[in-house]
Amino acid sequence: MGRQPCCDKVGLKRGPWTIEEDDKLMTFILNNGIQCWRMVARLAGLQRCGKSCRLRWINYLRPDLKRGELSEMEENQIIQLHASLGNRWSKIASHFPGRTDNEIKNHWNTRIKKRLRQLGIDPVTHQPLQGSDQTEDNNTINNVNELQEITITSPRTEILNSTNVAFTKNMSYHFPDQCSTSMFPDIKSPFYTQSYCSPSLSFSVENAKNNNGDPQSTSSQESFVLQQWDGEDDKLDSYFSLDIFNQLDQQLFFPENRL
DNA sequence: AACATTGTCAACCGCCCCCAA
DNA sequence: GTTGGGGGCGGTTGACAATGT
C-alpha cells in the first residue's frame, strides 16, 4: 500500500496551467512568499493541489529561471556529473543556477542518452558499449572495429599545460611534444564539438576550421583535436576505444553523420 | 494532403525523507 | 520512539509538434 495522496484531489484541477492560473500563483508568491504549498494553492485562489503549484513555480514561473537551450558546455558538464552522481537530477541541477532538475532530466533522456549511445558509450555506466549492446540508436556507424584501448599515461600536468592532444584520422596519436600544433595552424574556433566522458576524465573533441571558417578538409592530414576541458580528477590514465574514435571520425568528417 | 512515426517536455504519480507533535 | 504531514525527488506519461513517408 502506498501512502495516501498529499491532498484530496476531488474538485482540483489538473493538466496544463492557464495564463490566469500562472498570474495568480506568481502574484501570490511574489507578494507573500512561500510558507506551505497547500496554503499557497488555497490562498492564491487556485483549484490546484500544493504539489502542482510547487512544480509549476519551480519549473516554470520562478523569476531566476534560465531559459533556452543548454549549451554544449553545460551538456558536457551534465555528462560528467552524471558519471559521478548517477540519476540524482536535483544534485546535478544544483550545479546549474537557473536550470531545473526536470529540465536536465528531460534533456538527458531525450538527447544526451542518444548521443552517448551513438558514440558507443553506455549512458548508465559511461563505459564503452560492448558489441551487441551497441544497438538501438547507433545507426550512423556501420563498421565498428574491435575494441582496442589506447592508454594515456602522460603526467597530468603535461596535459594541462599542453596545447592539445591530437588524434589523427588513422588513429595514431601524439602528445604535443611529438606533434606540434603547427599541424593545426588554422584553428580559430571549434567547428563542431563532441564529447564523451569516462568516470575519471572528460574530453571534448573538436575539429578545425580554416581561416575562412570552413571545415578543414583539404589536407591529407585530416585531424581533429582532443582537448581536455575539465580536470577535477587527478587520475590521468584514461582508456579510449578505437571504435569510439572511428565513430567520432565519421561524424566529424562526414557532416551528414553529425548527431 | 494525409497519415504515421518520432521527439520534446510539462505535468503527474508514488515513494522517500525529514521534522514537528 | 512513533506517527503523520509536507516537501523533494526520480520515473513515467501523454499531449502536442516536428518530421518522414
Side-chain angles (χ1 to χ4, degrees):
Chain A
M1 277 291 276
R3 61 177 282 181
Q4 294 296 308
C6 66
C7 51
D8 179 6
K9 291 190 172 144
V10 177
L12 293 183
K13 189 165 178 282
R14 298 176 54 195
W17 281 63
T18 64
I19 295 170
E20 291 74 24
E21 287 176 311
D22 281 347
D23 271 350
K24 281 184 181 177
L25 183 60
M26 176 88 102
T27 305
F28 181 85
I29 291 177
L30 291 178
N31 289 333
N32 303 285
I34 304 158
Q35 306 297 328
C36 163
W37 281 109
R38 200 192 276 206
M39 294 306 288
V40 167
R42 192 187 305 165
L43 297 175
L46 292 161
Q47 303 301 308
R48 296 269 183 178
C49 79
K51 277 192 169 188
S52 182
C53 294
R54 176 184 159 271
L55 212 61
R56 185 63 177 170
W57 174 258
I58 287 175
N59 289 333
Y60 193 78
L61 296 175
R62 248 167 60 198
D64 62 330
L65 273 184
K66 191 173 168 183
R67 313 265 180 191
E69 287 276 297
L70 285 149
S71 69
E72 182 91 24
M73 189 61 96
E74 286 176 309
E75 205 171 274
N76 289 335
Q77 209 180 339
I78 290 169
I79 294 169
Q80 193 183 32
L81 287 165
H82 187 272
S84 56
L85 297 171
N87 292 357
R88 294 159 75 186
W89 305 114
S90 62
K91 284 271 184 295
I92 293 173
S94 67
H95 289 77
F96 303 91
R99 301 291 191 186
T100 70
D101 53 353
N102 208 35
E103 182 182 14
I104 288 174
K105 178 174 61 181
N106 280 336
H107 194 76
W108 176 270
N109 286 327
T110 58
R111 302 192 197 182
I112 299 179
K113 260 165 100 171
K114 183 165 61 177
R115 180 178 141 193
L116 288 177
R117 285 203 189 100
Q118 285 177 322
L119 294 175
I121 298 160
D122 185 333
V124 177
T125 64
H126 294 258
Q127 298 297 316
L129 287 168
Q130 298 296 318
S132 57
D133 294 342
Q134 201 168 6
T135 52
E136 44 194 301
D137 295 320
N138 183 10
N139 49 16
T140 59
I141 308 302
N142 297 319
N143 303 316
V144 178
N145 291 356
E146 284 183 12
L147 288 176
Q148 181 179 337
E149 289 179 342
I150 301 172
T151 307
I152 297 180
T153 54
S154 185
R156 175 182 182 72
T157 50
E158 280 186 41
I159 297 290
L160 287 176
N161 296 333
S162 68
T163 309
N164 289 305
V165 179
F167 284 75
T168 63
K169 195 177 181 186
N170 67 6
M171 295 301 141
S172 62
Y173 67 99
H174 311 269
F175 289 106
D177 56 339
Q178 299 162 305
C179 170
S180 93
T181 55
S182 63
M183 271 184 71
F184 311 102
D186 300 325
I187 294 175
K188 294 294 180 195
S189 62
F191 154 65
Y192 175 54
T193 303
Q194 275 297 322
S195 71
Y196 81 96
C197 177
S198 75
S200 60
L201 209 54
S202 296
F203 296 92
S204 69
V205 178
E206 301 170 354
N207 79 339
K209 264 183 172 179
N210 61 22
N211 286 328
N212 299 323
D214 296 318
Q216 187 177 352
S217 59
T218 52
S219 161
S220 59
Q221 282 181 321
E222 285 183 300
S223 304
F224 57 92
V225 180
L226 182 67
Q227 200 172 35
Q228 187 171 357
W229 65 273
D230 190 295
E232 286 190 7
D233 198 314
D234 60 6
K235 184 181 176 190
L236 188 63
D237 288 355
S238 191
Y239 301 92
F240 307 100
S241 57
L242 274 183
D243 68 331
I244 289 172
F245 285 105
N246 281 334
Q247 290 175 38
L248 286 170
D249 241 5
Q250 290 207 24
Q251 288 150 15
L252 289 165
F253 295 106
F254 302 100
E256 68 274 14
N257 286 340
R258 282 170 61 171
L259 302 180

